[in-house]
Amino acid sequence: MTKNALPRVRPQPLLSVADVERASRWYQRILDATSGHGGPEYEQLLVDDVMILQLHRLEVGHHHGALADPACPLGNGVALWFETPAFDAVVERVRRANAHVVTDVHVNPNAGHREIWLRDPDGYLVVVAEP
């Protein structure tokens, strides 16, 4: 497989969120993503026309039933990790958005790359790292 080819199995994480449209705007702003679906109940976020994340309203069951227990806090134990060659541009957007930074830009001593750790509006931990 070439470096730019998609793997046979591709992750498509789906997060339960309180407000899909608010979360979508946050991820679009931070990751320079675009909306692939839009709406108050479900969203697909795209980067370079590839879906990187799905958002689903917590209370909506659609055809599959509820995805999370509304009595439990969102984001507990979940870390979304994004790698981008445009790391400095992401950091600039984080600063402009006044996003909740958990751990500011630093070099991960194990990976040898820079990363920044954030909390999204629903409390999910979001890590953005350079390659």
Side-chain angles (χ1 to χ4, degrees):
M1 180 169 82
T2 64
K3 184 167 175 85
N4 293 331
L6 292 175
R8 291 185 308 122
V9 177
R10 195 167 42 122
Q12 297 181 329
L14 187 150
L15 298 180
S16 293
V17 297
D19 183 330
V20 169
E21 292 167 316
R22 178 186 68 182
S24 176
R25 287 189 302 272
W26 190 89
Y27 281 98
Q28 287 182 56
R29 187 169 189 185
I30 299 300
L31 299 177
D32 198 26
T34 58
S35 171
H37 185 277
E41 296 180 355
Y42 176 77
E43 171 70 289
Q44 295 177 351
L45 293 164
L46 312 174
V47 172
D48 299 329
D49 296 321
V50 174
M51 183 172 54
I52 61 160
L53 184 62
Q54 302 174 83
L55 304 171
H56 195 284
R57 187 164 172 181
L58 181 62
E59 302 87 9
V60 176
H62 287 132
H63 62 91
H64 45 66
L67 298 174
D69 181 348
C72 295
L74 296 176
N76 185 34
V78 174
L80 295 167
W81 202 284
F82 298 99
E83 178 185 291
T84 177
F87 180 78
D88 293 322
V90 169
V91 171
E92 185 177 314
R93 289 192 298 272
V94 165
R95 305 273 190 249
R96 281 197 315 260
N98 200 25
H100 177 187
V101 176
V102 176
T103 305
D104 213 331
V105 176
H106 65 283
V107 174
N108 178 322
N110 297 317
H113 63 224
R114 291 180 302 156
E115 49 192 48
I116 188 168
W117 294 48
L118 316 166
R119 288 276 177 198
D120 82 356
D122 290 282
Y124 289 99
L125 183 61
V126 177
V127 182
V128 181
E130 64 185 356

